[in-house]
Amino acid sequence: MNWKKMKMNNYQKFILLLQNYLKENLAISDDNIEELSKRFLSDMKNASLNDNNNYYLYDGDKKLNVIKMDDFTDFYCKIKSNTTKKENNINAVDAFLINKDNIWFLIEFKDTKIKSDSSKVKHNIIRKAYGNWYMLLDILYNMKNKNLVDNFDYKNPTKFAKNNVVYILVCSGENNPQIQKFISDAKSEKRHYTPPFMNKLKWYLFKDAYVYTELYFEKEFVNKFKYE
């Protein structure tokens, strides 16, 4: 699809930015970029796939297109370090998309139990938030002079993150019944539930950071999401 000839929404503009970033840094032709993009452009269901057990945490019917940021890191790693070794990849979330109000959503799926003493899982979730945000900033400033994204505050990216970026952790309700109860209680009070270990993301970095179970995620996010 030649998006240059059509009016683009915020999400499409960002895809164009990533495509041009790859073309410029990996010497990819216009003819090949669409095929290459299939490696990191997907939908929410496939972004939620746990490769270890072939299980989709989100298995809804509504198709919602996303950028699979953890797959894009393969290209980013090659550009930055000239290697394709997975162990050198930066940490990134499973899905990224932008809505009609220019809110940027970083979405991470976890089908494991998130226990109070499971520091490894929690640290992984936090690392992905910081790693992904660093990568986005690096790409945005690398491509600043191309004027491909007009909805980002280059003068004050910290303010932009506090006003426009939301981190959502989607976890298994079956494996996390207590979190599911906390989410339900928060919804009855018309607010989101933020686990204590994610407060640092909301306090210091993003507009918000909270958790959904897969069923709440479909009802409260997927079914209400609009690109334009």
Side-chain angles (χ1 to χ4, degrees):
M1 180 184 296
N2 189 349
W3 286 339
K4 293 181 180 180
K5 295 182 179 180
M6 62 181 287
K7 183 178 179 180
M8 293 182 291
N9 58 41
N10 296 322
Y11 173 71
Q12 292 167 331
K13 288 178 182 178
F14 204 91
I15 292 175
L16 185 63
L17 173 82
L18 294 182
Q19 290 176 330
N20 278 271
Y21 176 76
L22 295 182
K23 285 193 293 184
E24 188 169 288
N25 289 279
L26 294 177
I28 300 169
S29 68
D30 289 340
D31 293 335
N32 294 329
I33 192 63
E34 292 294 335
E35 186 64 29
L36 187 76
S37 298
K38 293 178 182 178
R39 292 172 56 182
F40 62 88
L41 296 181
S42 185
D43 55 63
M44 194 69 78
K45 176 179 177 178
N46 283 294
S48 77
L49 176 65
N50 184 328
D51 294 328
N52 294 327
N53 56 18
N54 199 32
Y55 172 76
Y56 296 93
L57 182 54
Y58 170 72
D59 197 14
D61 293 330
K62 184 174 181 179
K63 185 178 177 66
L64 203 61
N65 294 324
V66 303
I67 299 167
K68 293 177 67 177
M69 275 295 170
D70 54 346
D71 287 351
F72 187 83
T73 59
D74 292 341
F75 302 107
Y76 186 69
C77 177
K78 185 175 181 179
I79 291 169
K80 305 300 285 189
S81 64
N82 198 32
T83 179
T84 56
K85 291 183 179 180
K86 285 285 187 180
E87 60 264 30
N88 292 327
N89 276 9
I90 198 168
N91 292 110
V93 299
D94 293 310
F96 174 74
L97 66 171
I98 306 173
N99 72 5
K100 64 181 181 62
D101 299 316
N102 197 33
I103 303 300
W104 297 19
F105 292 96
L106 301 172
I107 300 172
E108 176 66 11
F109 293 96
K110 289 292 181 187
D111 62 359
T112 59
K113 186 172 183 178
I114 303 173
K115 300 180 293 185
S116 59
D117 59 346
S118 57
S119 59
K120 183 177 180 181
V121 173
K122 293 177 180 180
H123 289 163
N124 177 262
I125 291 167
I126 299 300
R127 280 199 304 270
K128 289 191 173 189
Y130 282 97
N132 206 133
W133 184 236
Y134 166 81
M135 178 173 67
L136 291 178
L137 288 179
D138 186 40
I139 293 169
L140 283 161
Y141 280 94
N142 184 276
M143 302 296 290
K144 180 179 179 181
N145 293 333
K146 300 297 180 181
N147 296 317
L148 295 172
V149 173
D150 56 8
N151 52 16
F152 177 75
D153 187 353
Y154 287 97
K155 294 182 179 179
N156 196 336
T158 302
K159 181 180 178 180
F160 180 86
K162 288 298 296 178
N163 290 334
N164 295 79
V165 182
V166 174
Y167 188 104
I168 301 178
L169 170 65
V170 183
C171 69
S172 165
E174 180 180 359
N175 292 333
N176 296 279
Q178 187 175 32
I179 288 179
Q180 183 166 276
K181 181 182 184 304
F182 290 153
I183 294 171
S184 179
D185 292 343
K187 179 166 175 53
S188 67
E189 299 173 3
K190 297 183 179 180
R191 60 180 177 85
H192 294 119
Y193 171 62
T194 302
F197 78 95
M198 288 177 63
N199 273 327
K200 65 182 71 176
L201 298 179
K202 183 166 66 172
W203 291 340
Y204 304 126
L205 192 59
F206 298 142
K207 175 183 176 69
D208 209 346
Y210 50 88
V211 63
Y212 277 142
T213 59
E214 67 272 41
L215 296 181
Y216 273 98
F217 178 65
E218 179 173 39
K219 180 181 179 181
E220 299 298 326
F221 181 84
V222 175
N223 291 343
K224 297 178 180 180
F225 187 89
K226 295 183 183 299
Y227 295 102
E228 57 187 350

